[in-house]
Amino acid sequence: MNLDCKHVWEHISEYIDKTVDAELRKDIELHLEHCEICSAILDSTRNILILTADDRTFELPVGYSKRLHQRLKDEIEKSKHEPPVGEAK
Amino acid sequence: MGTMDTNEAGLIARILAGEKELFHDLIRPYERMVYLTLLAIVKNETEAEDGAQEAVISAYRHLASFRGDAKFSTWLTSIAINQGRKRLRKAKGAAEESIEEEADSHVGDFTPAPLTDWREIPLEALERKELREALRAAVAELPDIYRQVFVLRDLEEQNIEETAEALGINPGTVKVRLHRARIMLQKCLVPFLKTTAPARRGFFGRAL
């Protein structure tokens, strides 16, 4: 089947996640072969996802981990005077 | 990795049996995830960090109620989401609680932006700091329901089912919101790329 661009855009997210069925996938690939616009949209969307998953894009606050474990340590210390975690009272 | 899950189940059993310090090890792989989940909801770094600490403490206190039938990460994400929502309610007041439902009827234009130069932009362009900043800003600007799905799925790389379970929505809704979020981001970043990164090799040689 010949897909138009709009149809391809509607499925672009599922195409990236590889959750479109085999037939549709083939049609999309056929379309991408000759459509520069859709290929560029696909590439740009994919690149945004690569960038999103890159740890340097969304960084944790400096010292976050240290503060978290200190807080946890205090909590564990406190709970030592209580029965083991989860034990019904 | 299968061994990791076994380790995790083993860790949990030992913590519940009294080796409480092991909770540090259990939580370590998920610290980042907990923070990002909070940030996606409260959109403020300080609030997100406080919330992340609260969520981790809460997970520690309620570990016994974790049932092995869900993944630990999903269970923990749910706690983080609840913590985030609680903070949001507190900050905004109960009046705005219904905001979430409203947002899904965002009948927007979910059409990607065309660009013809992208394929000539070398991969190094992704290394640019400005692009990361633009992406962070664009994610922060997404309507809440789209941002939350996007963060769990594409930032934390949880799958569709896990994302659905953690947010308490169905997988079909996750897919629709994810699609919209991705398209909105694509649209947001394309103009940015066009103005700051013309597809000319020389530009990158000169920049930075």
Side-chain angles (χ1 to χ4, degrees):
Chain A
M1 192 185 100
N2 251 337
L3 295 180
D4 59 23
C5 294
K6 209 167 167 239
H7 202 124
V8 171
W9 300 343
E10 278 165 17
H11 294 283
I12 214 153
S13 181
E14 288 181 289
Y15 178 79
I16 289 172
D17 284 342
K18 299 192 169 68
T19 53
V20 288
D21 63 52
E23 200 183 333
L24 181 56
R25 180 161 200 92
K26 221 179 75 197
D27 289 340
I28 292 175
E29 267 154 18
L30 219 60
H31 178 97
L32 288 170
E33 268 175 34
H34 65 78
C35 181
E36 280 283 319
I37 292 173
C38 286
S39 298
I41 287 171
L42 176 67
D43 279 352
S44 57
T45 309
R46 259 194 189 133
N47 279 329
I48 287 167
L49 300 188
I50 291 171
L51 199 62
T52 299
D54 186 323
D55 283 359
R56 291 168 299 170
T57 304
F58 290 87
E59 288 177 324
L60 301 178
V62 179
Y64 161 75
S65 180
K66 210 178 144 197
R67 289 188 293 273
L68 177 68
H69 284 277
Q70 185 55 51
R71 174 91 198 273
L72 188 57
K73 201 177 153 217
D74 297 344
E75 180 67 25
I76 292 173
E77 218 32 66
K78 221 171 68 190
S79 73
K80 277 189 176 157
H81 311 291
E82 296 162 12
V85 203
E87 220 170 69
K89 289 187 187 138
Chain B
M1 234 184 351
T3 52
M4 213 166 122
D5 288 343
T6 318
N7 275 346
E8 206 166 82
L11 268 180
I12 292 170
R14 287 173 65 189
I15 295 163
L16 291 176
E19 291 181 72
K20 298 176 174 181
E21 270 85 5
L22 290 176
F23 195 82
H24 286 284
D25 300 329
L26 178 65
I27 212 74
R28 216 162 260 127
Y30 305 112
E31 284 170 24
R32 180 177 162 80
M33 186 195 85
V34 172
Y35 174 79
L36 293 173
T37 301
L38 259 303
L39 186 64
I41 298 171
V42 300
K43 294 203 283 180
N44 168 293
E45 290 191 9
T46 315
E47 270 288 298
E49 178 163 350
D50 288 350
Q53 288 187 3
E54 286 304 323
V56 167
I57 299 294
S58 171
Y60 171 71
R61 286 184 188 149
H62 297 102
L63 187 62
S65 70
F66 167 66
R67 307 260 168 258
D69 51 0
K71 281 174 77 177
F72 178 71
S73 58
T74 307
W75 182 74
L76 185 59
T77 304
S78 307
I79 293 179
I81 289 169
N82 285 337
Q83 177 62 229
R85 288 178 176 164
K86 212 164 91 186
R87 281 171 181 265
L88 212 55
R89 275 199 299 272
K90 215 188 255 172
K92 287 184 175 171
E96 286 188 57
E97 249 183 284
S98 59
I99 239 175
E100 296 195 21
E101 294 322 307
E102 189 185 309
D104 230 351
S105 57
H106 252 264
V107 199
D109 173 17
F110 301 106
T111 313
L115 84 173
T116 44
D117 293 345
W118 179 279
R119 296 213 294 173
E120 278 116 69
I121 297 174
L123 211 55
E124 304 92 78
L126 292 176
E127 292 296 318
R128 285 178 307 124
K129 240 173 94 186
E130 310 90 84
L131 190 50
R132 292 178 197 283
E133 275 162 22
L135 178 56
R136 277 197 296 272
V139 171
E141 287 295 307
L142 286 175
D144 292 355
I145 55 165
Y146 299 126
R147 188 180 52 260
Q148 289 167 15
V149 166
F150 179 79
V151 167
L152 294 192
R153 178 74 186 90
D154 286 335
L155 218 167
E156 300 176 9
E157 302 184 86
Q158 305 201 36
N159 67 33
I160 299 276
E161 283 71 29
E162 289 161 0
T163 303
E165 200 184 328
L167 287 168
I169 54 181
N170 67 56
T173 308
V174 170
K175 283 189 195 171
V176 172
R177 291 182 184 177
L178 184 63
H179 175 75
R180 291 178 174 180
R182 286 170 171 177
I183 297 298
M184 282 188 261
L185 292 175
Q186 194 268 357
K187 222 176 184 168
C188 244
L189 291 182
V190 159
F192 174 86
L193 282 160
K194 274 184 173 165
T195 52
T196 64
R200 308 193 42 153
R201 308 245 156 211
F203 177 85
F204 296 102
R206 214 172 47 197
L208 299 180

